[in-house]
Amino acid sequence: MTEAATTGIAVLPLWLEIIVALLVLGGAGLALLGSTGLLRLPTYFERVHAPSVIATLGCWLIMHGTVLYFSVADRSLALHALLIAVFVAITVPIMSIFLMRAALFRARQTGLDVPPSLSQPKAPEESKDS
């Protein structure tokens, strides 16, 4: 009996290990890039945008590597990671929208220079001709 059979570790072909490693490392690298953007960008609105977009892409790359690895190792389609990635892809943008709206509301309340609200009608401007 081989060592892999006694320990339960799947032996994958080298080309597949390279693909899985590139996907996982690419996803981790993108997550690191998003974290760097979180630290370096100047305003809150820029800081909240970078990690939400990049983290979702990084999560999808890691998910693809995970599905590929466990599908080949177990010899059956492993979709457990897909559920996690779908959950992240749905919740992260929604959470970002809510955080941005709360920050805009707070910035408007304190009088900071932010775009006006689109949900409330503009006050009629007084005519300069009168």
Side-chain angles (χ1 to χ4, degrees):
M1 230 201 269
T2 65
E3 181 183 343
T6 58
T7 60
I9 298 173
V11 178
L12 301 178
L14 180 62
W15 63 270
L16 186 60
E17 288 181 355
I18 291 172
I19 292 173
V20 169
L22 288 175
L23 286 170
V24 172
L25 289 174
L30 282 174
L32 179 64
L33 184 65
S35 300
T36 305
L38 180 65
L39 294 173
R40 294 189 52 126
L41 292 172
T43 67
Y44 171 77
F45 298 105
E46 292 171 339
R47 275 182 269 155
V48 76
H49 183 69
S52 65
V53 172
I54 293 177
T56 304
L57 180 59
C59 175
W60 279 95
L61 284 175
I62 292 172
M63 181 273 306
H64 280 78
T66 303
V67 167
L68 187 60
Y69 175 81
F70 285 107
S71 294
V72 172
D74 296 341
R75 291 187 173 88
S76 65
L77 190 57
L79 295 179
H80 59 281
L82 180 63
L83 294 174
I84 297 169
V86 167
F87 181 74
V88 167
I90 291 172
T91 57
V92 168
I94 292 172
M95 179 264 323
S96 296
I97 289 170
F98 285 143
L99 287 174
M100 292 264 241
R101 285 186 179 191
L104 273 172
F105 177 77
R106 189 172 188 186
R108 286 186 186 116
Q109 294 297 326
T110 58
L112 295 176
D113 185 25
V114 293
S117 175
L118 298 176
S119 62
Q120 296 181 4
K122 292 182 180 179
E125 295 182 25
E126 296 183 22
S127 174
K128 293 182 181 181
D129 295 335
S130 318

